Amino acid sequence: LGNSTRVENSYATVALVGRDKVGGVVGRSHGEIQYCFSATATVTGASIVGGLVGYLDDGGSFLDCFYDDDLLSLNRSVGSSDISTGAGSTNQMYMETNYGGFDFTTIWTIQEGLSYPYFQWQGDDNVPRSPVEPEFAGGTGTSEDPYLVATASQLSNVRGHLDKHFRQTANIDLGGSSWADESGWLPLTVSTTLGLTGTYDGNGKTISNLTIDRSTNFVGLFGRIEPAGVVKDLTLEGVDVVGGNFVGGLVGYNGGQILRCQVEGNIEGENRVGGLVGESSGVASSIDSCTATVAVNGNNDIGGMAGRIDFSSQMISSSSQGTVTGSALRVGGLVGEQSSSYIEECASSATVSG
């Protein structure tokens, strides 16, 4: 790039291999570079390698330019100096607010949390994305800035951070995802004694085609929700869940709060099996404004909404429909067994046999 020349409003995503003076956007520059970014999986050379520019001559400059350091780990935007300005993580580079100076009114657009910027004239057929999907689509996991969940693999990543806070930003189809094994989805839980202690905000979105076929206990999208845990505003469609004891479409065992959630599908287990929850138990536990349209099958403590609720648990303004079948004891359209708990303004039209 010679004197009195300029590169602006451009980006690069191809892999780059050279000898020296290798840069994500320009190899050697005497001129101006502005409003550009590099998201290449490889920028390699024998010497003078930079995320944006290999060699910046006297008089050369760049303004509001960025590169994905999660991919490159170079820690320098210019190979010929120690300048590191513009380095960002993939999560940061998927957010419009981090592109100071970029014109998102007439030139650029972005799929927030899902892509790098791209030109409005490109449409949505060739959206630039990292070849390595970020753990989450944004956020830091706090209640004020929750992790953003937009894909099946990001949903699976929740299991490693169950003490954090999450918000789902897109509908997610779990059918045929590469993370699943022959038994389907692995429930989100730390162990049989520890589950979600943070918040999962479904944000009015849907998770479809949840499939589980396991003989283990505590089976559902979540294995357990602890007293501090909250799941809200989430819909599950096309559920097909099979487990041992404590089995539910949403969660096997609930000790926390479930608000405005819906489940549709088939749930089967041994004991304490419900359309939404296998068991809800404890003074901090509640099910509020939820619905279940399900076919539930099991042995003891089988319910359209919950297999069992006890120890001061509450169920409020919730309903179930479909079929509930138990081969042994305590089978109900709404709840299989209630003990020392509270149910108010709930209804069931489920067909029950047992």
Side-chain angles (χ1 to χ4, degrees):
L1 188 64
N3 294 322
S4 302
T5 55
R6 175 183 297 173
V7 175
E8 64 181 8
N9 295 312
S10 300
Y11 71 89
T13 58
V14 297
L16 300 169
V17 180
R19 183 176 177 181
D20 61 9
K21 301 182 179 66
V22 183
V25 177
V26 177
R28 181 174 180 175
S29 175
H30 301 263
E32 299 179 12
I33 306 171
Q34 57 187 11
Y35 316 131
C36 297
F37 73 88
S38 169
T40 64
T42 304
V43 178
T44 58
S47 63
I48 314 180
V49 179
L52 291 168
V53 182
Y55 191 91
L56 190 66
D57 280 285
D58 293 341
S61 66
F62 62 92
L63 172 69
D64 292 331
C65 294
F66 309 92
Y67 72 96
D68 190 334
D69 203 41
D70 278 352
L71 298 180
L72 299 177
S73 300
L74 291 171
N75 198 32
R76 60 174 58 205
S77 49
V78 178
S80 57
S81 74
D82 292 328
I83 298 173
S84 60
T85 302
S89 67
T90 301
N91 281 343
Q92 290 171 327
M93 292 191 66
Y94 275 13
M95 301 176 67
E96 178 180 329
T97 55
N98 292 323
Y99 288 88
F102 277 48
D103 180 355
F104 283 94
T105 302
T106 62
I107 298 176
W108 297 93
T109 188
I110 194 171
Q111 294 184 11
E112 190 76 6
L114 297 175
S115 79
Y116 302 111
Y118 55 102
F119 302 118
Q120 295 179 11
W121 59 261
Q122 287 181 271
D124 296 331
D125 293 332
N126 296 293
V127 178
R129 294 188 173 91
S130 170
V132 180
E133 183 174 295
E135 186 175 26
F136 297 106
T140 58
T142 66
S143 57
E144 297 79 13
D145 185 31
Y147 285 130
L148 303 181
V149 177
T151 67
S153 60
Q154 290 170 355
L155 179 63
S156 184
N157 290 338
V158 168
R159 72 183 72 255
H161 310 272
L162 288 170
D163 59 338
K164 304 300 183 184
H165 302 273
F166 307 88
R167 179 183 299 125
Q168 188 170 321
T169 60
N171 296 330
I172 296 173
D173 186 352
L174 294 181
S177 296
S178 60
W179 43 258
D181 60 22
E182 64 276 6
S183 298
W185 176 257
L186 181 64
L188 298 172
T189 190
V190 175
S191 67
T192 58
T193 59
L194 183 61
L196 179 72
T197 57
T199 299
Y200 190 92
D201 179 3
N203 194 31
K205 305 300 182 183
T206 297
I207 296 173
S208 58
N209 299 314
L210 169 68
T211 301
I212 305 173
D213 187 1
R214 300 179 183 273
S215 60
T216 54
N217 301 330
F218 301 100
V219 171
L221 177 68
F222 291 87
R224 295 178 60 100
I225 301 172
E226 303 305 325
V230 178
V231 177
K232 62 182 181 179
D233 299 317
L234 179 63
T235 296
L236 302 182
E237 293 181 350
V239 168
D240 189 1
V241 172
V242 178
N245 301 316
F246 302 99
V247 180
L250 180 65
V251 60
Y253 176 89
N254 174 49
Q257 298 180 58
I258 301 174
L259 306 171
R260 300 179 296 276
C261 291
Q262 304 175 55
V263 172
E264 177 274 319
N266 303 306
I267 296 92
E268 181 179 342
E270 298 296 325
N271 305 304
R272 302 190 183 185
V273 183
L276 186 80
V277 175
E279 177 173 326
S280 187
S281 180
V283 66
S285 65
S286 63
I287 299 169
D288 191 345
S289 303
C290 295
T291 62
T293 304
V294 289
V296 184
N297 290 273
N299 296 328
N300 299 295
D301 301 328
I302 312 300
M305 180 65 67
R308 177 184 171 95
I309 67 170
D310 58 15
F311 296 111
S312 301
S313 184
Q314 299 184 50
M315 182 183 295
I316 303 169
S317 303
S318 296
S319 64
S320 65
Q321 59 183 330
T323 61
V324 181
T325 303
S327 62
L329 305 174
R330 301 179 294 277
V331 183
L334 193 67
V335 177
E337 181 175 13
Q338 177 197 15
S339 176
S340 303
S341 55
Y342 178 76
I343 299 176
E344 180 181 12
E345 297 183 8
C346 295
S348 176
S349 60
T351 301
V352 179
S353 60

